């Protein structure tokens, strides 16, 4: 893999990779130098250098494997999707309004994660046969996955646990943090914020119908148990990469209705954000693997193309995970409208405020989708680096859950 460096105008200037060094290559050097060489020599390649095309191929192929195994399989499916589905099943009754609300966003999560365990995680299954790792290497990769998830990790340990949690569960605050760090905001984070506001508003509107006050929300024991289990389980599987692993005080949440309301809305909205747009970003990758000379999960040493077997394996894997699923953007009252899942009132109908919240949600998604389309149309003639389209936030391409 290695490190890819960019200049101030976002152009790639070099790729630095660690090259394994044979013991005899370090012979004759001082002990310290020999130790450093044995650990791996840094190999720097720049545009125009011999091996530049291979360095790019190796970098993007390694990055593809990293994102697929860590961000997609572990981060989205096994962590976010699995933990929330478990917490909802174990803590919320079948007719709890929040569990009803989450049904579309947990659609097929349990089934697809079970299939992923059998076909993508277990030794000698489809996944390990694609990656350039043996059984031990694959096990080590899974063990390292929690520490490789990067979202928000730069803040871990620098802020009090609850403040850190507040940023992780509020995508807009996190985007603002990134903008401060970069000194600028990119179109990616601009669209991220816009989508987040729409989702968060929908969640807050729905919850506000059942919990008109923060005190009412905190008084719901099932909801409290769902939120606490979700937070603690996420902290547990994040290990040392999470500021919640140590110092998280649940009693502070229980004493503050306003804080609990903030965390509850943020947790549910962030879950929806990850399983829709987040899953789209890290999971919609078949286009990159259609040509094994552009991107391959494994390749013979020194070559810049995967084998025929690898091309077939990764093609089958992409087909296996490309089944169409329910879409996020639908027409209220038409096909795909999931308001029938909402609890009915005493009159046998879904309360009008909930129907209005859903209609507003869909209307705002359509407006935002048109804005995304307009951005992509302008990108074709824009100057670098804003001459690339963005599709991972466009609601018309998003599915409701991690499904497949």
């Amino acid at each position: 893999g290695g490190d890819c460096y960019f200049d101030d105008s976002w152009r790639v200037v070099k790729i630095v990779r660690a090259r394994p060094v044979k013991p005899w290559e370090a012979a004759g050097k001082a002990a310290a130098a020999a130790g450093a060489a044995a650990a791996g020599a840094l190999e720097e390649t720049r545009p125009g250098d011999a091996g530049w095309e291979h360095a790019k191929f190796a970098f993007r192929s390694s990055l593809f494997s990293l994102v697929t195994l860590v961000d997609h399989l572990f981060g989205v499916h096994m962590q976010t999707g699995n933990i929330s589905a478990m917490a909802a099943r174990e803590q919320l009754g079948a007719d709890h309004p929040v569990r009803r609300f989450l049904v579309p966003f947990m659609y097929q999560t349990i089934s697809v994660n079970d299939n992923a365990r059998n076909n993508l995680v277990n030794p000698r299954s489809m996944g390990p046969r694609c990656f350039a790792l043996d059984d031990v290497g694959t096990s080590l990769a899974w063990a390292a996955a929690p520490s490789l998830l990067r979202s928000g990790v730069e803040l871990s340990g620098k802020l009090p646990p609850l403040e850190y949690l507040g940023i992780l569960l509020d995508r807009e605050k996190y985007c603002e943090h990134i903008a401060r760090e970069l000194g600028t905001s990119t179109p990616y984070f601009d669209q991220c914020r816009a989508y987040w506001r729409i989702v968060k508003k929908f969640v807050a509107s729905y919850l506000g119908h059942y919990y008109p006050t923060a005190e009412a929300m905190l008084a719901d024991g099932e909801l409290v148990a769902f939120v606490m289990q979700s937070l603690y389980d996420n902290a547990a599987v994040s290990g040392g990469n999470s500021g919640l692993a140590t110092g998280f005080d649940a009693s502070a949440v229980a004493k503050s209705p306003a804080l609990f309301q903030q965390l509850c809305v943020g947790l549910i909205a962030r879950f929806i954000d990850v399983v829709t747009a987040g899953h789209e970003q890290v999971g919609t990758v078949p286009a990159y693997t259609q040509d094994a000379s552009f991107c391959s999960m494994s390749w013979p040493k020194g070559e810049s193309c995967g084998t025929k077997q690898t091309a077939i394996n990764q093609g089958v894997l992409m087909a296996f995970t490309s089944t169409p699923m329910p879409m996020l953007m639908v027409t209220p009252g038409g096909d795909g409208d999931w308001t029938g899942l909402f609890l009915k009132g005493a009159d046998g109908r879904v309360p009008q405020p909930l129907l209005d919240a859903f209609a507003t949600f869909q209307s705002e998604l359509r407006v935002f989708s048109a804005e995304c389309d307009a951005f992509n149309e302008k990108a074709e003639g824009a100057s670098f680096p804003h001459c690339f389209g963005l599709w991972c936030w466009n609601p018309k391409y998003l599915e409701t859950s991690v499904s497949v």
Side-chain angles (χ1 to χ4, degrees):
D3 296 321
C4 189
Y5 289 80
F6 299 80
D7 62 16
D8 290 340
S9 62
W10 302 92
R11 294 186 181 276
V12 178
V13 294
K14 66 179 179 179
I15 292 176
V16 179
R17 303 175 64 220
R19 178 176 62 86
V21 175
K22 306 300 182 183
W24 58 83
E25 292 182 302
K29 297 182 179 180
L42 294 181
E43 192 172 68
E44 181 178 298
T45 311
R46 294 175 177 271
D49 290 351
W52 176 240
E53 293 301 321
H54 176 73
K56 290 192 294 182
F57 167 79
F59 180 84
R60 61 176 172 259
S61 295
S62 299
L63 179 62
F64 170 81
S65 295
L66 172 72
V67 170
T68 298
L69 191 148
V70 175
D71 298 272
H72 185 186
L73 276 175
F74 176 78
V76 176
H77 280 269
M78 302 305 178
Q79 186 181 47
T80 303
N82 214 53
I83 285 174
S84 296
M86 287 172 56
R89 284 291 188 96
E90 294 175 5
Q91 303 299 341
L92 300 176
D95 287 330
H96 193 281
V98 172
R99 180 165 169 179
R100 289 291 192 110
F101 179 77
L102 291 173
V103 167
F105 307 107
M106 294 182 176
Y107 177 74
Q108 290 290 308
T109 296
I110 294 175
S111 296
V112 74
N113 283 354
D114 180 55
N115 286 330
R117 179 200 60 187
N118 294 327
N119 298 311
L120 303 177
V121 177
N122 284 346
R124 298 181 179 86
S125 62
M126 189 184 303
R129 289 181 184 276
C130 285
F131 294 121
L133 301 168
D134 60 14
D135 289 347
V136 175
T138 302
S139 296
L140 291 173
W142 280 113
S147 64
L148 294 174
L149 285 173
R150 305 309 302 166
S151 181
V153 68
E154 74 280 357
L155 296 172
S156 179
K158 299 179 182 179
L159 298 172
L162 287 177
E163 185 177 348
Y164 173 70
L165 178 62
I167 291 180
L168 289 187
L169 296 184
D170 191 316
R171 197 63 171 163
E172 186 164 15
K173 289 182 179 178
Y174 182 68
C175 289
E176 292 171 354
H177 161 74
I178 294 296
R180 287 193 297 270
E181 291 293 309
L182 294 177
T184 183
S185 181
T186 66
Y188 171 88
F189 285 108
D190 292 339
Q191 291 190 12
C192 174
R193 278 193 291 262
Y195 178 69
W196 167 257
R197 295 189 194 106
I198 295 172
V199 171
K200 184 179 179 181
K201 179 181 176 180
F202 179 44
V203 173
S205 297
Y206 180 90
L207 292 179
H209 175 74
Y210 292 100
Y211 309 101
T213 65
E215 288 75 13
M217 187 175 289
L218 186 58
D220 185 335
E222 290 186 26
L223 185 60
V224 172
F226 165 74
V227 171
M228 290 298 106
Q229 179 170 325
S230 298
L231 293 179
Y232 274 117
D233 284 357
N234 271 289
V237 299
S238 297
N241 193 39
S242 171
L244 300 177
T246 57
F248 176 59
D249 184 8
S251 62
V253 178
K255 295 176 183 176
S256 173
L259 176 58
F260 179 76
Q261 183 182 52
Q262 173 192 344
L263 295 182
C264 182
V265 172
L267 176 71
I268 295 174
R270 188 72 178 101
F271 166 73
I272 295 173
D273 176 57
V274 171
V275 300
T276 56
H279 188 246
E280 175 75 13
Q281 180 180 357
V282 300
T284 308
V285 292
Y288 302 116
T289 60
Q290 292 182 53
D291 184 351
S293 67
F294 178 79
C295 188
S296 180
M297 290 183 172
S298 61
W299 60 94
K301 182 179 179 180
E303 296 188 16
S304 298
C305 182
T307 64
K308 292 180 180 179
Q309 289 87 344
T310 299
I312 293 173
N313 284 342
Q314 64 190 32
V316 171
L317 175 58
M318 292 303 110
F320 176 71
T321 58
S322 297
T323 304
M325 288 293 162
M327 302 303 292
L328 179 69
M329 199 169 82
V330 299
T331 301
D335 291 341
D337 182 330
W338 65 80
T339 53
L341 293 168
F342 298 164
L343 288 175
K344 295 179 173 58
D347 60 357
R349 299 180 179 181
V350 175
Q352 190 61 43
L354 299 184
L355 296 177
D356 292 342
F358 181 79
T360 299
F361 176 58
Q362 292 297 329
S363 175
E364 292 181 348
L365 288 178
R366 286 194 295 274
V367 172
F368 177 54
S369 179
E371 293 173 354
C372 293
D373 289 338
F375 173 84
N376 289 340
E377 291 177 4
K378 293 180 180 179
E380 295 182 4
S383 59
F384 186 89
H386 301 308
C387 53
F388 301 99
L390 281 170
W391 291 271
C392 58
W393 301 108
N394 194 326
K396 71 179 182 181
Y397 299 120
L398 304 184
E399 297 169 336
T400 58
S401 69
V402 296
S403 52
V404 286

